[in-house]
Amino acid sequence: MIAEPDFRLADFEPADAASELAESSVWAGDLTVLAEHHTTPEGTHSYLVAHDRSMTWGVPGDPALVAIKITRDLRERTFTFETANHASLAFAQNWLIERGCPPERIAQAKGDSLKPADDLTLWVERQIRESGSRYKVLDSWTSDYAPSETWTLTRDSSAAQAPIRVFLEEGNPDAHTYTMREGAFADEAAARHWLEDRGSPLPQPPDYRGEAAARLTRAALTRSAGASAIPKAGLDTGNAPSPGTGQRPTPRRPM
């Protein structure tokens, strides 16, 4: 069953032209809610992440997830409406957290979307969600078909070495799972060359070295609520995170 969003805007009017345009630019019938939080009992704020099915027929590679923040003025009966498109759920969640959404309220995806395959995926996604403004998104790609993947190209403001980071999400539709891996590059040109060529493993960030066992152990101990139901891939926490493998992307991946 498709979980369409309820924006809860009955009897409210847009507070400004930007909110009117943003609200009219999304159609609830195209959206499948992946995560949401509504403040109660006042209901002044709503935070949602949804998959926009209409993007399948849009420009190849465009991000298919939309993050939405709604703020309601209960006295004036008006609302402001903000949206941002993202390639991966964790970056959409980060955008909402930066705008006031409690992290624990938006962390867990619902419905029939693919599930994280292993503890390293859980850790990388949590790192993104809680990163604040650390990662500046430079580009992204979303693929519907084989290979089922998305990637987000970023600049890490906290990295002393290899500041260009690629977050590669690879889906396994047969297992209904996905992995998320982080790669590090000296500059944007090197990262784009790897994304086009895929002739070598995704290079690990320098700060992974010597930290892998502790990080994966912490990931296992501090999973998001409900993560006990997420299948594990049997990672050996005594080894460094295994580098992601990849193939040249093709147009967008369905949820």
Side-chain angles (χ1 to χ4, degrees), residues 53-105:
R53 296 186 299 278
S54 71
M55 298 302 290
T56 298
W57 315 111
V59 178
D62 274 359
L65 301 185
V66 56
I68 301 170
K69 179 189 176 183
I70 302 169
T71 305
R72 304 174 190 83
D73 186 322
L74 303 182
R75 169 184 268 180
E76 299 295 330
R77 308 303 292 179
T78 60
F79 68 87
T80 58
F81 200 101
E82 303 172 71
T83 68
N85 292 100
H86 298 273
S88 73
L89 179 60
F91 277 100
Q93 291 165 326
N94 169 265
W95 187 88
L96 292 173
I97 291 167
E98 281 293 278
R99 284 153 183 81
C101 184
E104 68 278 4
R105 299 293 186 180

Side-chain angles (χ1 to χ4, degrees), residues 125-144:
E125 289 189 313
R126 181 172 182 174
Q127 175 179 285
I128 294 169
R129 282 197 304 271
E130 299 178 0
S131 64
S133 59
R134 173 178 174 178
Y135 299 108
K136 179 183 179 182
V137 175
L138 305 174
D139 200 1
S140 68
W141 181 275
T142 299
S143 171
D144 264 353

